[in-house]
Amino acid sequence: MELKTEIYLGDSRDELARIPTDSVDLIFTSPPYADQRKSTYGGVSVDDYVEWFLPITKELLRVLKPSGTFILNIKEKVVNGERSTYVMELILEMKKQGWLWTEEFIWHKKNCFPGKWSNRFRDAWERLLQFNKTKTFNMYQDAVRVPVGDWAKNRLKNLSDTDKIRDNAKNGSGFGKNVSNWIGRETVYPTNVLHLSTECNNKNHSAAFPEGLPEWFIKLFSVEGDTILDPFMGSGTTNIVAQRLNRHSIGIEILPEYYEMVRRIVEPVQLTLFDLKNENYDSFDERRYAVR
Amino acid sequence: MELKTEIYLGDSRDELARIPTDSVDLIFTSPPYADQRKSTYGGVSVDDYVEWFLPITKELLRVLKPSGTFILNIKEKVVNGERSTYVMELILEMKKQGWLWTEEFIWHKKNCFPGKWSNRFRDAWERLLQFNKTKTFNMYQDAVRVPVGDWAKNRLKNLSDTDKIRDNAKNGSGFGKNVSNWIGRETVYPTNVLHLSTECNNKNHSAAFPEGLPEWFIKLFSVEGDTILDPFMGSGTTNIVAQRLNRHSIGIEILPEYYEMVRRIVEPVQLTLFDLKNENYDSFDERRYAVR
DNA sequence: GTTCCGCATGAATCGATAG
DNA sequence: ACTATCGATTCATGCGGAA
C-alpha cells in the first residue's frame, strides 16, 4: 500500500472542488476562530464568520462519505464581555445544509492560558463538534480504550453488596450497573471529555492543538487506509498524525509558509515509503520520526 | 439576622410574580430538560421547550438585581441520534430579551454513569450557562480559590534569571510573566471547568446535581445575607446549600411531594434560628445538620 | 533506567490610553 | 462617541538535560 498525503496551496472555498464526492472518511479541522490569528490569517470578523464558513461546510458535506464523520474544533471568543454566538448560529445553519449534529466532545485544556480578570476565570475548554451525514457512521470504539482508573483496583478488591448485583439508578432512567463486571478488565471506554494539554515543546512552529487531539479522533472514526481531510491544515498536525497512523490524508492551506513547511515534512516520508513498498511497515514509525 | 428560606408550591410561570423586581442576587437552577422526567413534570416536548421557558426567563430577568447572576444548568437531549438545538435557540432568544450571555462553565462529571452504545461514549459533562443583566455583576473570586499545583513547590525554590524579571512571550501577543510573583502563594484561581463527582450519598431522593455545584456558584456570585432563587427547586439542593452558607433563598416547585419534602427539611431550621436570634451563629452549621 | 529540575510556551481578556 | 493599540495580569505542562 502506498500512503498518499496530498496537500494543496489555496483557499478551501476553491480547492475543495478538486476532491471527489463521497471520498473522505474523516474530516478533522480547527478553522481560524473569528478575529483570532489576525497576524497570520487576517482574521474573519465575528459578524461575517458564519457566512464565510457555510460554503466550505457545504463542500465538506459533499466530499464526506455517508459513513464518515466531521469533527470541528472551535470556540467562541469574548466580545465586549459577552460570549459570541457564531458557533451556535453555525450549527443551526449547518443543520439546514443537511448535517446531523450528533455529539459535542469537550477538550479540557489542562494547561490553559494564565490570566486574571475581574469578571471571568481562565478559559480551559474548547468544543469538538461532531457532525455526520447519516446516522450509521463508522465508529471504532475499541481503538481508543483507556487503562482502567485506579478506582477499580480498590473498588474491586472489596466488593460491596450492591456492587455484586445490578444496581439500578435511582432516577428511574432504567440504567443500572453491576460493578462486578469490571473484574479483570484492563481497559475501559473513554467518555466525551478529553483531557489534553496544549503542546509546548521546542518545535519551531506553534500547533493550534496537540497531536493527541487528531490522533484520538482518527483512531475513533477511521481505520488504516482510510482518508482524512483537514481543510485548514495550518502546521499540518492532522496530516502528520494521519500519516503516522497509516491513513491517507489531504490538507488545504492558504498560507505559503505553512504549505511549504508541511511539504518539506511530508514529502520525504512518501519517497521513503515508495522505496519500502515490499518491506515490513512496522518500522515505518521510527523512519518517519527520523525524517521529521 | 434571621435567615429566610421561602418555598412556594406552584408553577414558576405564576409564582415568580410574587417576587419583587431587582431583589435576587443569584438564580441557580436546573430546569427539567425537554422530554425528560416525563413521569414527574409531564414532560415539555423538545419542540415546545423554548416557547415554554421564555416567559420564565423574562420574569427571572425582572427579579434579578442588576448586579446579579443567573446560572442555568442545562444540556440538550439526543433525539433520534441527533442533538436537539433548543439550548442554542434559548440562548439566542434570551439575548433578545436583554440577557447577556457572559460565560459557559463546564461541569466535568468525574464519575458519570457507565454504559455502552455503538455510536456514542458516556456523557461526562454538562453546561452551566452564565447570564447577566449588566456587565458589572458581582463576582467574589477569592471565595473559590483552589490550592496551587505541585509545580510551584519545586519551581519557586530556585528562581532562574528569567524568572526574576518580566519575561515577554515570543509570539508578540504581549503576554509576559514574572514568575517571582508566585512566591508565597498558596492558592490560585480556578478555571471555567469544574471537576465534581455526581453525588452518591444516602439520601432517599435523587438530586439532579451534587451540593458542590450550587455551592461553588453561590460562593462565587453572592455573599452572606444575599438572596438565592431556584425556580425549579426539585429536592431543594440549591436552597439547602444556600441556607448552610447563610444566604436567604427562595424555591418554587410544582410537585407537592417535592415541596413537602423540602418543607420538612427547611422549616425546623428556621424555627431553631428564630429562637437563636441572640446567639452566636457559628454553631449554626452543626445545628442544621442535626436537624436534617 | 529513573527521578528531578529548569524552562519556554500557550486560539486570553480587560481597562486605560491614544487616534 | 467610537475604534485601535498597549500594558498588565497569571498557571500548568512536557521536554530535555542533569543528578
Side-chain angles (χ1 to χ4, degrees):
Chain A
M1 180 185 78
E2 188 186 350
L3 208 60
K4 278 188 296 186
T5 304
E6 304 170 50
I7 63 175
Y8 301 123
L9 173 65
D11 193 318
S12 271
R13 283 172 293 186
D14 310 318
E15 302 298 321
L16 281 170
R18 301 165 67 161
I19 302 176
T21 299
D22 293 348
S23 65
V24 170
D25 295 279
L26 171 65
I27 302 165
F28 181 95
T29 199
S30 194
Y33 301 173
D35 274 333
Q36 303 290 138
R37 297 175 143 194
K38 256 186 182 149
S39 56
T40 47
Y41 282 96
V44 180
S45 85
V46 169
D47 294 333
D48 303 333
Y49 197 83
V50 175
E51 196 183 350
W52 166 78
F53 204 8
L54 281 176
I56 294 172
T57 58
K58 192 181 172 193
E59 275 294 277
L60 295 178
L61 185 63
R62 180 183 65 78
V63 303
L64 189 69
K65 286 185 191 172
S67 60
T69 292
F70 174 22
I71 298 291
L72 178 62
N73 173 216
I74 199 164
K75 175 91 193 231
E76 50 278 275
K77 76 174 254 142
V78 173
V79 177
N80 256 328
E82 242 190 314
R83 288 269 173 212
S84 302
T85 54
Y86 58 85
V87 174
M88 287 181 284
E89 290 157 22
L90 178 64
I91 294 174
L92 294 173
E93 291 299 320
M94 283 178 66
K95 280 174 68 86
K96 290 182 192 164
Q97 288 181 327
W99 285 104
L100 303 177
W101 177 38
T102 40
E103 179 59 300
E104 181 170 351
F105 296 85
I106 296 295
W107 171 23
H108 170 221
K109 296 195 276 191
K110 289 192 290 181
N111 63 338
C112 68
F113 250 78
K116 165 84 170 74
W117 309 274
S118 61
N119 57 350
R120 91 181 43 251
F121 284 139
R122 292 172 293 146
D123 190 4
W125 65 277
E126 293 193 15
R127 303 177 196 281
L128 286 149
L129 302 167
Q130 178 188 341
F131 295 95
N132 289 95
K133 227 165 147 166
T134 69
K135 285 170 193 166
T136 53
F137 52 88
N138 293 329
M139 190 176 192
Y140 309 95
Q141 300 192 356
D142 286 320
V144 293
R145 289 177 78 108
V146 291
V148 70
D150 288 335
W151 68 271
K153 293 179 183 61
N154 299 318
R155 179 82 176 263
L156 297 175
K157 264 191 302 191
N158 301 316
L159 289 177
S160 70
D161 287 341
T162 50
D163 281 351
K164 288 172 190 159
I165 57 164
R166 181 178 168 84
D167 180 33
N168 283 306
K170 308 287 190 294
N171 58 7
S173 66
F175 286 126
K177 63 179 188 295
N178 185 339
V179 173
S180 58
N181 286 343
W182 268 268
I183 293 175
R185 290 198 197 167
E186 292 291 324
T187 58
V188 297
Y189 294 105
T191 71
N192 57 1
V193 177
L194 282 79
H195 303 273
L196 289 172
S197 302
T198 56
E199 206 155 286
C200 61
N201 49 18
N202 298 329
K203 284 177 202 160
N204 57 353
H205 60 85
S206 73
F209 45 81
E211 292 197 1
L213 204 61
E215 178 171 342
W216 198 81
F217 287 101
I218 288 171
K219 284 177 175 172
L220 181 57
F221 289 116
S222 74
V223 293
E224 293 198 3
D226 278 359
T227 299
I228 318 294
L229 165 66
D230 187 345
F232 301 98
M233 184 173 68
S235 54
T237 310
T238 302
N239 300 274
I240 289 164
V241 174
Q243 202 175 58
R244 172 159 57 83
L245 297 173
N246 292 330
R247 271 77 164 172
H248 304 293
S249 81
I250 305 166
I252 303 172
E253 174 57 39
I254 200 167
L255 292 181
E257 309 92 272
Y258 278 119
Y259 171 79
E260 287 301 329
M261 188 177 70
V262 179
R263 202 170 55 78
R264 281 194 296 274
I265 295 169
V266 160
E267 281 198 342
V269 182
Q270 292 186 292
L271 292 173
T272 310
L273 267 174
F274 196 77
D275 296 339
L276 283 174
K277 255 186 208 158
N278 300 317
E279 287 191 27
N280 184 343
Y281 271 87
D282 286 346
S283 60
F284 170 67
D285 265 13
E286 291 150 41
R287 213 171 301 259
R288 197 193 75 64
Y289 278 119
V291 167
R292 202 168 148 210
Chain B
M1 181 186 78
E2 189 186 350
L3 208 60
K4 278 188 297 184
T5 305
E6 302 170 52
I7 62 175
Y8 300 125
L9 172 65
D11 192 319
S12 272
R13 283 173 293 186
D14 310 318
E15 302 298 320
L16 281 169
R18 301 165 68 162
I19 302 175
T21 299
D22 293 349
S23 66
V24 170
D25 295 280
L26 171 65
I27 302 166
F28 182 95
T29 198
S30 193
Y33 300 171
D35 242 351
Q36 308 268 106
R37 295 162 79 181
K38 245 191 183 140
S39 55
T40 53
Y41 280 96
V44 182
S45 86
V46 169
D47 294 335
D48 302 334
Y49 197 82
V50 175
E51 195 183 350
W52 166 79
F53 204 6
L54 282 176
I56 294 173
T57 57
K58 191 181 172 195
E59 274 295 275
L60 295 178
L61 185 63
R62 180 184 63 80
V63 303
L64 190 68
K65 285 184 191 172
S67 61
T69 292
F70 174 23
I71 298 291
L72 179 60
N73 173 216
I74 196 167
K75 181 129 186 208
E76 59 277 346
K77 178 188 163 66
V78 175
V79 177
N80 249 332
E82 209 187 349
R83 306 201 78 83
S84 302
T85 53
Y86 57 83
V87 173
M88 290 180 286
E89 290 158 23
L90 179 65
I91 294 173
L92 294 174
E93 290 299 321
M94 282 177 67
K95 280 172 68 83
K96 290 182 193 164
Q97 287 182 328
W99 285 105
L100 303 176
W101 178 41
T102 36
E103 181 57 303
E104 180 171 351
F105 295 85
I106 294 295
W107 168 25
H108 170 222
K109 296 194 270 192
K110 288 191 291 184
N111 62 342
C112 69
F113 224 80
K116 168 88 170 70
W117 299 268
S118 63
N119 57 353
R120 66 181 66 247
F121 284 138
R122 289 174 294 149
D123 190 8
W125 66 275
E126 292 199 17
R127 302 174 200 287
L128 287 147
L129 302 168
Q130 178 188 343
F131 295 96
N132 289 96
K133 224 165 150 168
T134 70
K135 283 171 192 167
T136 54
F137 52 87
N138 293 329
M139 192 177 191
Y140 308 96
Q141 301 191 355
D142 286 322
V144 294
R145 289 177 79 107
V146 292
V148 70
D150 289 334
W151 65 273
K153 291 177 184 60
N154 300 317
R155 177 72 182 272
L156 298 176
K157 267 189 301 192
N158 301 316
L159 289 179
S160 69
D161 286 341
T162 50
D163 281 350
K164 288 173 190 155
I165 57 164
R166 180 181 170 80
D167 180 34
N168 283 306
K170 308 292 181 290
N171 60 3
S173 67
F175 196 89
K177 67 180 187 309
N178 186 339
V179 173
S180 57
N181 287 343
W182 268 270
I183 292 174
R185 291 197 197 170
E186 293 289 325
T187 57
V188 297
Y189 296 103
T191 71
N192 59 1
V193 177
L194 281 79
H195 302 274
L196 286 174
S197 300
T198 54
E199 200 152 293
C200 48
N201 54 16
N202 298 326
K203 282 183 202 158
N204 58 352
H205 58 83
S206 74
F209 44 80
E211 291 197 1
L213 202 62
E215 179 171 341
W216 198 80
F217 288 101
I218 288 172
K219 285 177 175 171
L220 181 58
F221 290 115
S222 74
V223 292
E224 295 199 2
D226 279 359
T227 299
I228 319 295
L229 165 65
D230 186 345
F232 301 99
M233 184 174 70
S235 54
T237 309
T238 303
N239 300 275
I240 289 164
V241 173
Q243 202 175 58
R244 171 158 59 82
L245 297 174
N246 292 330
R247 270 78 164 171
H248 304 292
S249 81
I250 305 167
I252 302 173
E253 174 56 40
I254 199 168
L255 291 180
E257 309 91 271
Y258 278 119
Y259 171 79
E260 286 301 328
M261 189 178 68
V262 179
R263 199 170 56 79
R264 280 194 297 274
I265 295 169
V266 159
E267 280 199 342
V269 182
Q270 291 186 291
L271 291 173
T272 310
L273 267 174
F274 196 76
D275 296 339
L276 283 173
K277 256 185 208 159
N278 300 316
E279 287 188 29
N280 184 343
Y281 271 87
D282 287 347
S283 59
F284 170 67
D285 265 14
E286 292 151 39
R287 215 173 297 263
R288 200 195 74 62
Y289 278 119
V291 167
R292 203 167 143 211

